[in-house]
Amino acid sequence: MSGRRIDRERLADVVLAAVVGALGMTVAAFDEDTTALDHVLVALASAALAFHRAAPRAVLAVATLLGTAYVVHAHPGPLSALPVLGAVHTAARVGHRGVAAAGSAVFLAGYVATGPGTQNVAERAGLLAGWFLCAVVTGLADRNWQAYLRQTEQRALEAERTREEAALRRAGEERLRIARELHDSLTHSISIVKLQAGVAVHLARKRGDEVPPALLAIQEASGEAMRELRSALQVLRADEPTGTPALLVERARAAGLAVDLTVTGDERPLPRALDRAAYRIVQEALTNAARHAGPAKVRVRIDYGGPGPVGELAIDVDDDGAADPARPPAPGTGLTGMRERVSALGGTLRAAPRAEGGFSVRARLPLGETG
């Protein structure tokens, strides 16, 4: 969450507390029996609403106790319930339905117990009960609406990511198709030209004739064309990672994911296949954490070494997200591809929810003789 958004929310909470406090103090001022203690109770109960995001249950408890003390002492009208109504709504909004209902019941009990047993008090109590019910219902409705908005945003991000992956896959397939076409057509033709020019130059020199400059130019140009074509085919067929695990972590942080990277052991250049596998493992693990872990913290640990005569590259990616060991996810394309890469290099992979919550990816890849 950005600092600007946090500041806006804090300002909104302070404004809410100020408005409720102003209304409560105004109503109390028109009551001739209101004392200084009553004003203090109203002010404190209203001020507590400024902290409802950080501690909704505590705010509800404070507002309920102070509000009940106020009605017991001053016997005010129904508008005295405003601070408690606000606390009940905010508590229900974050899912504390039982606590919200209990706070409502405590305040209503205090309000009814302190008033005379008249029809007027019963009507006011019924009105207040309706208000509290509305506060709970609107809090739950707001909670469901926020959850729906988050799901919609997540689906939009997922759809965008899927489109990007599909576009990258199509681009890769197109590169391979172009590489095949170039190899099957141009490579064959240029090879024939180069071969024929080389034969002609060899025969001319064997007969003792002067080699025509045009023939030498054709031989040199065809050789250069073959080198350029091979270079172009290597680029088109390349499947190399575009960065390092550290760069992946930086990109994830820039996208809003809380990631810590720890590298231990003797960091050194790896064989191309092993380096590519390590990159893809970290990339897939961070992608899965961003998609499924929610607002979680992710720890990436890479260890160059390991016990025994043959060293190993250890890659651990753990998050404290919402994964549940009782409901392990079905292996998707990403996890399957990760497992195939590790198996091809003779390593081991464990990708599963953690017992303490969250998801863990642990890959072990042999480095070869450490001698």
Side-chain angles (χ1 to χ4, degrees):
M1 184 183 296
S2 66
R4 183 175 299 179
R5 181 178 176 183
I6 293 176
D7 292 339
R8 287 200 303 266
E9 290 182 349
R10 288 176 178 171
L11 178 60
D13 296 342
V14 172
V15 170
L16 171 65
V19 170
V20 173
L23 290 174
M25 297 290 284
T26 302
V27 172
F30 284 98
D31 190 347
E32 297 179 356
D33 297 331
T34 302
T35 65
L37 175 61
D38 298 323
H39 285 291
V40 171
L41 292 174
V42 172
L44 292 178
S46 302
L49 294 177
F51 305 96
H52 73 87
R53 295 184 194 273
R57 287 181 291 186
V59 168
L60 176 60
V62 170
T64 301
L65 292 177
L66 294 177
T68 304
Y70 171 49
V71 297
V72 169
H73 183 263
H75 312 294
L79 288 178
S80 60
L82 282 177
V84 186
L85 281 170
V88 166
H89 172 80
T90 54
R93 184 174 179 269
V94 294
H96 303 309
R97 293 172 292 183
V99 177
S104 304
V106 169
F107 181 84
L108 286 172
Y111 185 85
V112 172
T114 58
T118 63
Q119 182 67 22
N120 188 30
V121 172
E123 291 177 355
R124 289 184 177 183
L127 176 63
L128 282 177
W131 286 1
F132 279 110
L133 179 61
C134 289
V136 173
V137 171
T138 54
L140 294 176
D142 191 19
R143 172 182 172 83
N144 293 335
W145 175 250
Q146 294 298 327
Y148 169 76
L149 291 180
R150 288 192 295 269
Q151 291 175 359
T152 302
E153 182 179 2
Q154 185 64 31
R155 285 196 295 268
L157 293 174
E158 179 68 13
E160 182 65 25
R161 189 193 64 81
T162 303
R163 283 195 296 269
E164 291 178 357
E165 290 183 352
L168 290 174
R169 185 173 61 254
R170 288 194 297 269
E173 293 172 352
E174 183 64 15
R175 287 199 308 271
L176 293 177
R177 188 190 66 81
I178 294 173
R180 287 194 299 269
E181 293 294 334
L182 290 175
H183 180 272
D184 294 341
S185 57
L186 292 181
T187 303
H188 176 74
S189 300
I190 295 175
S191 298
I192 294 299
V193 171
K194 183 176 182 297
L195 177 62
Q196 295 292 339
V199 171
V201 169
H202 174 73
L203 292 177
R205 287 173 176 168
K206 186 176 182 180
R207 292 193 300 265
D209 299 337
E210 182 180 356
V211 180
L215 193 58
L216 292 175
I218 292 173
Q219 185 184 31
E220 183 179 355
S222 60
E224 181 65 23
M226 281 296 298
R227 288 189 292 272
E228 293 291 339
L229 185 57
R230 289 194 186 98
S231 177
L233 290 176
Q234 289 177 355
V235 172
L236 289 172
R237 289 171 172 166
D239 185 27
E240 300 299 322
T242 57
T244 63
L247 181 60
L248 287 174
V249 170
E250 291 300 324
R251 291 174 181 170
R253 288 172 180 166
L257 191 65
V259 188
D260 290 330
L261 173 64
T262 302
V263 179
T264 58
D266 183 17
E267 186 174 359
R268 55 195 180 276
L270 300 173
R272 184 171 61 180
L274 185 59
D275 186 58
R276 181 165 60 245
Y279 180 91
R280 297 305 185 197
I281 290 169
V282 176
Q283 183 183 48
E284 181 63 27
L286 290 177
T287 299
N288 288 338
R291 290 172 54 192
H292 305 299
K297 293 183 179 179
V298 184
R299 294 174 296 278
V300 179
R301 293 184 294 273
I302 302 177
D303 178 37
Y304 291 82
V310 179
E312 66 177 9
L313 177 69
I315 302 174
D316 297 333
V317 183
D318 300 323
D319 66 68
D320 56 2
D324 186 357
R327 293 176 296 181
T333 304
L335 288 178
T336 301
M338 189 190 305
R339 196 175 301 279
E340 290 174 350
R341 286 181 182 274
V342 173
S343 299
L345 294 173
T348 60
L349 176 74
R350 181 185 181 277
R354 303 191 304 165
E356 60 271 30
F359 199 83
S360 174
V361 174
R362 302 186 183 278
R364 301 295 182 267
L365 301 169
L367 289 170
E369 296 295 332
T370 60

